[in-house]
Amino acid sequence: MKLTYRSTMLACYNGYITQAISINLAPLLYLTFQKEFGLSVGELSALIAFNFFTQLSIDVIASRFAHRMNLRFFTVLAHVLVVVGLAGLSVFPLILPPYVGLLLAVGLLGLGGGFTEVLISPLLEACPTEGKSGNMSLLHSFYCWGQAAIVLFSGVYFYFFDIEISWRYLPFLWAIVPLAGAVAFMLVPIYKLPGDSGEKSLGADALFRKPLFFLFLLMMLCAGAGEMTMSQWSSAFAESALHVPKAVGDLLGPCMFALMMGFSRAFYGKFSDRLNLHRLMLIGCVGCAASYLFAAFAPHPAVALFGCALCGLSVGIFWPGILSRAASAFPFGGISMFAILAMAGDLGCLAGPSIAGGIADLLGGDLKWAFCFAAVFPVACFAALLLYNGKRN
């Protein structure tokens, strides 16, 4: 069978499922880590921060040296790092001080996730297809399907097996996905963006001299913070604040969040030629802010969990939409531009849940205040979108 750009696109879809695994599997085990290893909410927040700090480090490196990178080698390496990091979640705490072992495993997951984040979107953008913004949104929907699958499969797994005994085997099962991705990227065709070669290429220095680019950076930071605060804390919030069973909380919290986020991305991917992306993103900002306040102040757990789902529906279009608008505004930005935008997004992913967790820790571990604080991010994104539209017009 001849491998074509469609094979590359399929490998990219798998790459975003790998990205979802690298970020979202560990949070489902946070309370297990807390009980087994005696971790505080602050130490759990540090695990989140370290994951995204390592991703951020890769973004910084790639933004400067993307034009020298062997795309096939580093894409395969990304998947291998995720495989080792997943195995490390189970093994490293047994052979090292437990928290050090978890930090090392999370760091490897962050490195692998950082490379996939920097490389997969431009690899798909470079494929010879039409409807680029719709394709980008569809690609990012696979992150959501991966996140939902993690919650569903893991929930079924823990329903049949005792979580305190069998959790160590689960990361090995999920490692099959990045292992398959590593093999796929050894074989599929690799395409390059126009901005990765030629005299018209825009480097990092040129991009930072363009004022409009800073609005994209602000929007990406808000998108990362708005998305990841709910994604990282909704499982623990459902258990600790709403007092619902873990299986129910995971299904109605992070799982519904992921499914609704995937739905919004797939919907735009299908109908992108008929929809106004800018208007959808403004509506999403309003919905995202409202969803955090729903979750924080709802009088009943069902309403709070509805807020988690609404957040996924609202925030879904942010990340792929901003990347598509940036690729259109700066067609010769190349992988360097994607890396810088990913750096801003990851900074938001790091800062949002970490600050929110720190606020909760200061206020007695109550995650309702963390969600109340997180409403700031979509409000800031709304303002940036209005400024962007004004400058564009």
Side-chain angles (χ1 to χ4, degrees):
M1 183 179 67
K2 183 179 179 181
L3 298 178
T4 67
Y5 72 90
R6 295 185 184 278
S7 307
T8 307
M9 294 175 73
L10 290 173
C12 288
Y13 297 155
N14 184 83
Y16 258 79
I17 296 174
T18 295
Q19 172 80 352
I21 294 169
S22 73
I23 293 174
N24 294 290
L25 180 60
L28 293 181
L29 300 170
Y30 279 169
L31 291 186
T32 302
F33 295 157
Q34 190 176 39
K35 293 173 184 176
E36 184 164 336
F37 305 123
L39 306 183
S40 67
V41 174
E43 287 173 318
L44 294 177
S45 297
L47 288 178
I48 299 173
F50 192 58
N51 180 285
F52 288 107
F53 177 79
T54 52
Q55 289 197 46
L56 191 62
S57 301
I58 295 300
D59 298 338
V60 172
I61 294 169
S63 69
R64 304 300 302 180
F65 303 104
H67 59 289
R68 303 180 190 175
M69 294 173 66
N70 182 312
L71 298 184
R72 188 182 302 277
F73 172 80
F74 280 101
T75 307
V76 172
L77 175 63
H79 288 75
V80 172
L81 287 169
V82 174
V83 171
V84 178
L86 288 171
L89 286 175
S90 299
V91 176
F92 293 164
L94 298 177
I95 60 178
L96 296 168
Y99 191 62
V100 174
L102 289 174
L103 282 172
L104 177 58
V106 165
L108 289 171
L109 290 172
L111 290 174
F115 277 121
T116 57
E117 183 177 40
V118 167
L119 298 175
I120 298 298
S121 290
L123 283 174
L124 183 112
E125 182 78 12
C127 288
T129 61
E130 297 180 355
K132 296 290 188 181
S133 67
N135 289 333
M136 184 65 71
S137 186
L138 182 61
L139 169 69
H140 283 252
S141 75
F142 278 86
Y143 174 91
C144 309
W145 309 136
Q147 183 180 359
I150 291 165
V151 177
L152 287 171
F153 179 83
S154 302
V156 171
Y157 178 85
F158 290 132
Y159 179 80
F160 289 103
F161 303 99
D162 186 352
I163 188 171
E164 294 182 1
I165 299 173
S166 60
W167 73 264
R168 295 182 185 276
Y169 304 112
L170 185 64
F172 287 100
L173 295 175
W174 281 112
I176 295 171
V177 176
L179 188 61
V183 174
F185 276 108
M186 292 178 185
L187 304 173
V188 299
I190 299 294
Y191 302 89
K192 289 187 176 182
L193 289 168
D196 291 323
S197 59
E199 296 180 358
K200 293 184 178 181
S201 299
L202 288 175
D205 293 339
L207 287 168
F208 280 117
R209 287 196 294 269
K210 297 182 179 295
L212 184 60
F213 189 64
F214 284 92
L215 278 181
F216 283 110
L217 293 178
L218 175 59
M219 286 188 278
M220 283 298 292
L221 188 148
C222 294
E227 175 183 328
M228 205 53 57
T229 301
M230 182 65 75
S231 175
Q232 294 287 300
W233 286 116
S234 57
S235 178
F237 172 73
E239 286 187 71
S240 63
L242 304 182
H243 308 294
V244 298
K246 178 173 176 56
V248 174
D250 285 351
L251 287 173
L252 298 180
C255 184
M256 284 302 298
F257 169 84
L259 287 173
M260 297 306 290
M261 185 163 65
F263 171 78
S264 67
R265 290 175 174 178
F267 181 83
Y268 179 75
K270 178 69 174 177
F271 300 105
S272 58
D273 56 334
R274 308 179 200 174
L275 298 171
N276 185 309
L277 179 59
H278 182 79
R279 188 176 303 152
L280 278 179
M281 292 176 69
L282 286 173
I283 294 171
C285 289
V286 175
C288 184
S291 70
Y292 274 110
L293 297 178
F294 265 126
F297 298 114
H300 191 275
V303 182
L305 291 170
F306 168 76
C308 296
L310 177 62
C311 184
L313 182 68
S314 303
V315 82
I317 197 61
F318 287 1
W319 197 293
I322 295 165
L323 290 180
S324 294
R325 300 304 285 269
S328 177
F330 305 103
F332 293 96
I335 290 181
S336 292
M337 181 188 71
F338 279 89
I340 295 168
L341 291 172
M343 178 173 62
D346 282 340
L347 185 60
C349 290
L350 187 158
S354 298
I355 296 173
I359 289 173
D361 216 21
L362 288 173
L363 299 173
D366 190 347
L367 288 169
K368 291 182 180 181
W369 295 111
F371 283 1
C372 184
F373 163 77
V376 170
F377 302 123
V379 171
C381 190
F382 186 91
L385 280 166
L386 292 179
L387 285 173
Y388 164 71
N389 203 42
K391 287 182 177 292
R392 185 186 58 173
N393 294 333

